[in-house]
Amino acid sequence: MWRRLTSKPVRLAFAAMSLLVIWHTLAMAIASAPESMITTSARLLYHPYLTLFRLDNNWGFFAPTVELGGQFRYIVEDAAGQRHTFVPAEKLSRFLPTSIWFKDRYKDILEAIETHGQAAAAAFCLEHAALHPVAITFVELEQKDFSPADRLSGKHPLDPEFVDERTLEAIRCPAQ
Amino acid sequence: MPGPVTLAPVQATSAPARRATLAPLRQAWSRFWFQDWSRLWFQDKSTSPLEIARIGIGAALLLHYGLASPYLFTLWGDDGWMPRALLADDISDPWKQSVFFYFTAPWQWAAFHAFFLFCCAALMLGWRTSWVKWGVLVGNISYDYRNPSIAYGVHAILACLLLILCFAPIGRAMSLDRVREVWSAKRKNLEADPPAFSSPWAFACTRLMQIQMAVLFFFSATDKLRGDDWWSGDAIWKVFVSDDYYNGFLLDLLASQYWLVNVATYGTILIEIAYPFLIWQRRSRPYLLVAAIFLHLQFALLMNLYFFSFVMIMGHMSFVRREWLSALGAWWKRKIGDMEMIYDGTCGFCKRSMAWFLAFDGLRQIRIRDFRTNPSPVVSDEKMLKALYLVLPDGRALPGFEAYRYVVLRVPGLWWQVPFFYVPVFSRLFGHPIYNWIAANRSRL
């Protein structure tokens, strides 16, 4: 096709296309590359492009280490002082994207209880209004190592011996 | 002993001599620029691989964000999980932009969400593609930056692929835009056959998407190689032990056959590290492509990462060779056989509806014959006055509704009509009288 590349406008278009593919290819590499003197300098130039188009991603899926999981629970304390434990993830369908969004939400609550706790507690109080809740307590089960031998002896990764339970402070329900 | 080297003054070199000296350099440069560089980036090719990615990504986004509709204000609203105040740090970067940052009333969220879903549907169908693709890109980035806490791997790869699709001249094949183009030409002349679109820029954008996938796999593999879980071959066990991906049956199987964990762990790394290097070669590409798609099907089925896996597979489609698609199309045409539609060339309505019908026949499976100028040896003119006919390779001739019914199942571009023509009992019950009425009144339509 380049036999047709005789006119100046076509040559200019060819040069512009070449510059764009070089620019974008470098952007893809710089966005994912580990930090070094070269990439740090290049990032100064590429930052607007990478950020505006949301290209600034690294691709370390489940890497370098696979995080041990956990489970989010909450306890509803009712007016009579009784405590009801709920595991909200059990209600989620793994076939729907809501499952991932809600699990991310639960992680956010546990990681930043001071930021998200109040709003989350208010939502759970509303959801369980029939129990006449007075407070919500968030609980995190942090998973520990679980070996194939444990499984072969009939254990479950969330059995008490394989988790650390972390109870966060209770948050009072807002006045109805 | 050699004497001192004397350099001839530059100004003393004559112009023809200089030209002669530089000629090989100039030749090498032009060979690189016009042959090697253009072979690498700018071959005159169709957009087919990108169109497959467009259709898949459009459908995936439509489903994903369509399912999010009931949670619009919870996920992205100011009174939801991520109040705007919590984003203060993110918003301080002027390059992180989201249309949601500028909304003040709930109807604006709802209107934009509806607009975005419309753009996703239009992208999937290829309707006004050159415009709607930008709406999808802006929407996708806006959702991600408005609530970064729910964005994960799939959103990252979507942003990268969508930008490349925006650069690319998509919507030129397998799209309603192409149907409109062909329809417009065939309305003037039913025999018209607008050439399929191809351009060097389409190839360059396909190449960019290929590089994106290779870069992704390369860094995904190298990150894994830094981790002890992956080196020791235990990573897959830890994934399935995690409550997020727990699967009792699978865990029992892996515990009793632990070698499967090692094979899966090392197999994942092997595919990811081999992909960026071996996917480029003609011979190894099919194997790497199958391996990568197999890997993502495992993620979908065993880890329930359907959306992520599907989008990744769409990215891999950039490596599908046009020759494979052509061979697939040729195989389908051979399997279905020749089809000839005979119509009445004096009937304006018949010609308009034929033009519309043929516009969806991207594989050019249907031949046409106007019985007024070119009578059929199979169907008599008396029969032709009553209905359109379809002649099959075995000599059978199907009239009217039955002709359309036969064709819609066999022409991929018309598959969307199958539900109308194949509803048991109802399709024939209503289809025959409707067709017969139209055929009888065609001169007045």
Side-chain angles (χ1 to χ4, degrees):
Chain A
M1 71 157 283
W2 300 113
R3 287 195 189 92
R4 285 187 272 137
L5 264 184
T6 47
S7 70
K8 198 171 178 183
V10 177
R11 279 172 184 263
L12 279 175
F14 180 61
M17 290 194 300
S18 299
L19 283 176
L20 182 54
V21 294
I22 292 168
W23 168 267
H24 192 77
T25 302
L26 287 174
M28 287 189 270
I30 289 161
S32 329
E35 210 174 301
S36 69
M37 214 166 93
I38 293 173
T39 52
T40 307
S41 311
R43 274 180 167 276
L44 290 175
L45 177 67
Y46 271 95
H47 174 76
Y49 184 70
L50 294 178
T51 311
L52 186 66
F53 293 112
R54 202 199 174 298
L55 306 176
D56 202 356
N57 306 298
N58 74 63
W59 307 109
F61 305 121
F62 299 97
T65 50
V66 182
E67 300 288 326
L68 286 168
Q71 194 180 63
F72 170 84
R73 296 177 177 183
Y74 61 91
I75 300 165
V76 178
E77 191 179 331
D78 66 21
Q82 280 196 308
R83 291 160 72 85
H84 310 267
T85 303
F86 293 91
V87 183
E90 285 178 352
K91 286 192 292 182
L92 301 173
S93 166
R94 286 185 175 186
F95 296 99
L96 296 174
T98 43
S99 155
I100 293 175
W101 298 330
F102 276 81
K103 282 179 183 169
D104 283 346
R105 168 65 173 166
Y106 303 146
K107 281 174 194 155
D108 281 351
I109 295 168
L110 294 172
E111 282 168 13
I113 186 83
E114 64 290 346
T115 309
H116 299 289
Q118 207 70 46
F124 289 131
C125 290
L126 199 64
E127 187 181 332
H128 299 288
L131 292 173
H132 304 292
V134 291
I136 302 287
T137 306
F138 296 112
V139 177
E140 180 183 21
L141 298 187
E142 287 176 346
Q143 287 184 249
K144 294 193 287 191
D145 280 340
F146 182 82
S147 70
D150 297 326
R151 184 66 184 177
L152 290 173
S153 58
K155 306 278 177 55
H156 188 283
L158 290 180
D159 284 347
E161 59 194 291
F162 301 110
V163 293
D164 284 330
E165 187 171 317
R166 187 168 72 96
T167 305
L168 288 87
E169 62 184 298
I171 298 175
R172 297 200 67 77
C173 290
Q176 297 295 311
Chain B
M1 195 176 165
V5 176
T6 53
L7 290 173
V10 173
Q11 61 270 31
T13 312
S14 67
R18 262 208 317 274
R19 271 202 295 276
T21 314
L22 290 175
L25 265 179
R26 202 175 282 157
Q27 271 178 351
W29 171 247
S30 69
R31 212 192 77 189
F32 166 75
W33 187 244
F34 295 123
Q35 288 179 25
D36 300 340
W37 182 250
S38 62
R39 193 179 304 139
L40 178 66
W41 285 105
F42 302 113
Q43 295 179 34
D44 199 8
K45 297 278 186 180
S46 75
T47 53
S48 305
L50 293 172
E51 305 293 356
I52 297 173
R54 167 184 62 77
I55 295 167
I57 288 172
L61 281 166
L62 181 64
L63 184 66
H64 185 76
Y65 284 96
L67 288 168
S69 300
Y71 308 97
L72 176 64
F73 296 102
T74 307
L75 297 172
W76 298 288
D78 283 347
D79 297 326
W81 290 351
M82 187 60 73
R84 212 176 293 195
L86 295 183
L87 283 169
D89 288 344
D90 283 309
I91 297 175
S92 68
D93 186 337
W95 297 105
K96 282 189 177 176
Q97 287 295 327
S98 166
V99 294
F100 294 111
F101 295 159
Y102 303 93
F103 290 168
T104 51
W107 70 265
Q108 294 166 341
W109 266 263
F112 182 78
H113 189 65
F115 169 74
F116 177 71
L117 292 182
F118 170 78
C119 288
C120 292
L123 182 75
M124 176 183 72
L125 297 172
W127 184 78
R128 306 278 176 192
T129 321
S130 52
W131 294 98
V132 297
K133 62 187 180 184
W134 293 101
V136 176
L137 179 75
V138 169
N140 186 63
I141 294 171
S142 293
Y143 285 105
D144 286 356
Y145 277 152
R146 179 61 190 82
N147 189 352
S149 73
I150 56 165
Y152 61 106
V154 67
H155 298 99
I157 184 66
L158 266 173
C160 296
L161 298 183
L162 275 173
L163 182 62
I164 296 169
L165 287 180
C166 283
F167 287 153
I170 52 170
R172 310 301 182 102
M174 304 180 205
S175 67
L176 288 181
D177 288 339
R178 172 67 180 168
V179 167
R180 278 174 39 227
E181 184 193 357
V182 177
W183 179 65
S184 165
K186 284 193 181 290
R187 279 189 71 184
K188 291 171 194 145
N189 174 14
L190 268 183
E191 301 287 347
D193 189 13
F197 175 85
S198 68
S199 88
W201 186 235
F203 184 80
C205 291
T206 311
R207 184 68 88 203
L208 282 178
M209 195 176 279
Q210 292 172 341
I211 292 173
Q212 178 65 74
M213 297 308 292
V215 164
L216 189 158
F217 263 52
F218 176 77
F219 284 107
S220 183
T222 49
D223 260 12
K224 286 181 174 65
L225 290 173
R226 292 192 298 125
D228 292 341
D229 298 330
W230 292 95
W231 268 113
S232 62
D234 300 320
I236 298 297
W237 173 259
K238 287 183 80 173
V239 168
F240 288 111
V241 162
S242 157
D243 190 53
D244 284 346
Y245 304 105
Y246 175 78
N247 177 329
F249 168 76
L250 192 65
L251 215 55
D252 285 338
L253 175 70
L254 295 178
S256 59
Q257 305 291 330
Y258 198 74
W259 60 274
L260 286 173
V261 172
N262 294 155
V263 168
T265 305
Y266 294 134
T268 303
I269 298 176
L270 184 68
I271 292 170
E272 289 190 350
I273 201 74
Y275 184 94
F277 298 102
L278 300 181
I279 194 74
W280 308 104
Q281 284 80 9
R282 181 173 284 273
R283 279 192 184 173
S284 50
R285 179 178 293 191
Y287 301 106
L288 265 297
L289 206 49
V290 167
I293 291 172
F294 173 76
L295 192 66
H296 286 112
L297 289 176
Q298 300 299 305
F299 294 161
L301 297 172
L302 303 178
M303 298 168 70
N304 304 113
L305 294 171
Y306 303 103
F307 185 40
F308 170 77
S309 304
F310 184 74
V311 170
M312 288 294 286
I313 290 171
M314 288 304 111
H316 293 308
M317 289 299 108
S318 57
F319 283 104
V320 169
R321 290 190 183 282
R322 279 111 179 137
E323 303 91 87
W324 299 347
L325 295 174
S326 304
L328 185 66
W331 170 81
W332 180 257
K333 277 177 82 169
R334 274 198 312 277
K335 183 176 153 49
I336 298 304
D338 210 16
M339 290 183 283
E340 184 183 68
M341 265 195 159
I342 312 172
Y343 69 101
D344 180 358
T346 60
C347 156
F349 175 77
C350 307
K351 285 201 282 188
R352 286 197 302 276
S353 53
M354 280 297 288
W356 183 81
F357 201 69
L358 292 172
F360 287 94
D361 179 20
L363 292 176
R364 299 179 182 87
Q365 292 174 259
I366 305 169
R367 280 189 298 110
I368 54 170
R369 180 196 290 262
D370 173 8
F371 85 93
R372 302 278 185 183
T373 56
N374 186 12
S376 165
V378 181
V379 187
S380 69
D381 288 5
E382 290 73 35
K383 281 184 175 176
M384 281 306 308
L385 288 172
K386 289 180 187 160
L388 163 149
Y389 269 80
L390 179 75
V391 178
L392 304 179
D394 59 9
R396 278 184 300 150
L398 303 175
F401 177 79
E402 290 301 323
Y404 282 111
R405 193 169 186 270
Y406 185 91
V407 166
V408 294
L409 197 61
R410 287 156 181 87
V411 174
L414 292 166
W415 282 347
W416 60 274
Q417 291 188 23
V418 168
F420 304 109
F421 280 85
Y422 281 85
V423 179
V425 184
F426 280 93
S427 288
R428 282 191 161 126
L429 188 68
F430 292 104
H432 281 292
I434 290 172
Y435 180 86
N436 291 339
W437 184 86
I438 291 173
N441 295 281
R442 63 183 190 268
S443 58
R444 282 183 280 158
L445 292 171

